[in-house]
Amino acid sequence: MTLENILTQLTKDAVKALYNIDCTDAQVQLQKTRAEFEGNITLVVFPFVKMARKAPQMVAAEVGEWMANNAAHLVAKYNAVQGFLNLSIADSFWIEQLQAIDAEAEYGKQPDRNQLMMVEYSSPNTNKPLHLGHVRNNLLGYSVAKIQEANGWNVVKTNIVNDRGIHICKSMLAWLKFGNGETPETSGKKGDHLIGDYYVRFDVEYKKQVKELMEAGKDEETAKREAPLMQEAQAMLRKWEANDPEVRALWEKMNEWVYAGFDETYQRMGVSFDKIYYESTTYLEGKSEVEKGLAAGEFYRREDGSVWANLEKDGLDEKLLLRSDGTSVYMTQDIGTAKLRYQDYPINKMVYVVGNEQEYHFKVLSILLDRLGFPFGKELVHFSYGMVELPNGKMKSREGTVVDADDLVEEMVRQAKATADESGKFDDMSEEERQEVARVVGMGALKYFLLKVDARKNMLFNPEESIDFNGNTGPFIQYTYARIRSILRKAEDQHYDHANLPKATFELSGKEQEIISSVANFAAVVKLAGKDYSPSVIANYCYELTKEYNQFYHEFSVLKEEDEAKRQFRLVLSANVAKVIRLGMGLLGIEMPERM
């Protein structure tokens, strides 16, 4: 239970005993005591003044006196200033708080809910490599899954791969025409990059054909439709849908190249999945569900044979589910994917990590799944996030239009190593250790910078700014963690006890009380991040705690403290700050280096 919760109940007990007032939690207003007054927390007593029929100053004084007499283990001193009661919390309470935190290896983790949440993220196409947008998506999705696990959910992390459609056939056709049998092995390229190159090649050759047809007198729309490459790609798609063995074999081979490339990128990003679904199998399931909904009267068929859902009673419009030729749309595929997922897992809540441009799509999907009888339909959550961009001219991709995920990761690690080398932080490390720490710091910088911003906002990612070892960055937090770990190693070398709190009593400083309070608040922060699906809440908590510890470190001695009890206490305090920072950053998917 947090200090705020304890004081809220104590306040309710006090006003009940003194004035026979039954107040609510909402009426108990607590805030941090202003710097010019003595105390840790201030209770605003104005909500009770009218019912108590006494002056604000008197109510504050009487409540303070009652608390000091009835909860001396908690309230050491008090002072009343008009309608404000400033409470000084007893050192014994802070020590008890630290003992409780120290006893829990996974402090902040909530009890098991015995409920299943599925989180979908990534959703790549198999015609090109992952890009910067995918990076933000993957990092957000993975972090949301970790945060919900910490909140007691059993979480299944899933990915839906878009492995069918005309865009896939474009890459396949270009490889057949221009590839000369090139493979990832012969080219030395990752499979996803190789296929992406042929997708670009198709576009280049297709535009040439369109231009030639337009020069021959065709209008642009006709030229695009009649271009031989596009017609061949559409013919290939029809063969794919008809299960042509040659087309299917080529499709499987090229997809395997892409999946191998994706897996390498996912591993470098430090994200993973428990189950991967493929649109090539889910779209048929979706069509089947739509036909069932049609038979049940949930949907209707128009004269041209297309199938629609009327959502006007839900405040929306009409939604196409099957085209007149019987082919499915994205909504149909998502229905099919949802059906397969529910067959595989007893889902209580489904979370889709998808950009904010798809907000309407997921409103409709939630309604349709509910109409089709899926229990998690109404519980569907669209975790909507904004765009991320780089400053112009920085780290352009091979095509010059998007930022390649592999290029970004490679550059982040390179910059981390260059920055650390320049500052001398790697001077006492072997080359192998330098490379590993550079990887951890580079990825930590990337992840933290992308996750510290409210996911709903568009953002500008500046690689150089993210690597800074000072300020609100991943490396700043990692460096502080490594510093604490270094202190604890030195304490072991000097045979100082940092595993147990001292039995001797001494007066805590205000800064030490503040740090214990901050560390104790981690459990509440984890709950809030879970409730709001917000990695940024965790990120900014870790930064504030790190900043607070650094202030403490500069003001107080730890290893050089001569008083044995104080030194022992500060070592235990430092160890728990490090623990909570590691746990918090772990919820963001960020590794913490033992040395920096």
Side-chain angles (χ1 to χ4, degrees), residues 343-363:
Q343 286 177 351
D344 292 340
Y345 300 96
I347 302 169
N348 298 103
K349 190 179 287 288
M350 180 71 217
V351 180
Y352 294 87
V353 180
V354 182
N356 53 20
E357 71 278 4
Q358 294 293 325
E359 286 181 0
Y360 173 79
H361 175 90
F362 285 100
K363 283 182 183 177

Side-chain angles (χ1 to χ4, degrees), residues 306-349:
S306 59
V307 177
W308 294 72
N310 188 334
L311 306 174
E312 291 176 351
K313 69 177 183 180
D314 299 291
L316 303 174
D317 52 11
E318 295 183 312
K319 182 64 182 177
L320 174 67
L321 300 178
L322 289 176
R323 299 186 185 94
S324 57
D325 61 2
T327 57
S328 64
V329 295
Y330 276 114
M331 186 65 69
T332 321
Q333 294 170 16
D334 276 346
I335 291 171
T337 306
K339 175 188 175 182
L340 290 177
R341 285 170 170 163
Y342 195 66
Q343 286 177 351
D344 292 340
Y345 300 96
I347 302 169
N348 298 103
K349 190 179 287 288

Side-chain angles (χ1 to χ4, degrees), residues 444-544:
L446 172 64
K447 293 179 180 184
Y448 185 83
F449 205 96
L450 291 179
L451 295 175
K452 73 177 182 179
V453 177
D454 184 342
R456 293 167 293 185
K457 296 179 180 178
N458 292 340
M459 67 170 296
L460 186 71
F461 173 60
N462 187 320
E464 285 130 4
E465 186 182 332
S466 73
I467 293 289
D468 195 343
F469 283 81
N470 297 297
N472 191 2
T473 66
F476 170 67
I477 298 170
Q478 289 173 317
Y479 182 67
T480 299
Y481 175 83
R483 168 185 278 169
I484 297 174
R485 296 297 300 155
S486 175
I487 291 170
L488 297 176
R489 285 193 298 272
K490 289 177 182 176
E492 288 179 358
D493 292 342
Q494 297 173 27
H495 305 291
Y496 290 154
D497 184 6
H498 65 82
N500 300 290
L501 281 165
K503 294 179 180 178
T505 58
F506 56 89
E507 188 174 346
L508 297 181
S509 69
K511 179 57 69 177
E512 287 166 330
Q513 292 174 348
E514 286 174 16
I515 291 178
I516 295 173
S517 179
S518 295
V519 172
N521 197 39
F522 179 59
V525 170
V526 171
K527 283 185 181 180
L528 178 62
K531 176 175 172 287
D532 293 346
Y533 298 87
S534 179
S536 65
V537 167
I538 299 289
N540 288 291
Y541 166 84
C542 288
Y543 170 64
E544 291 299 328

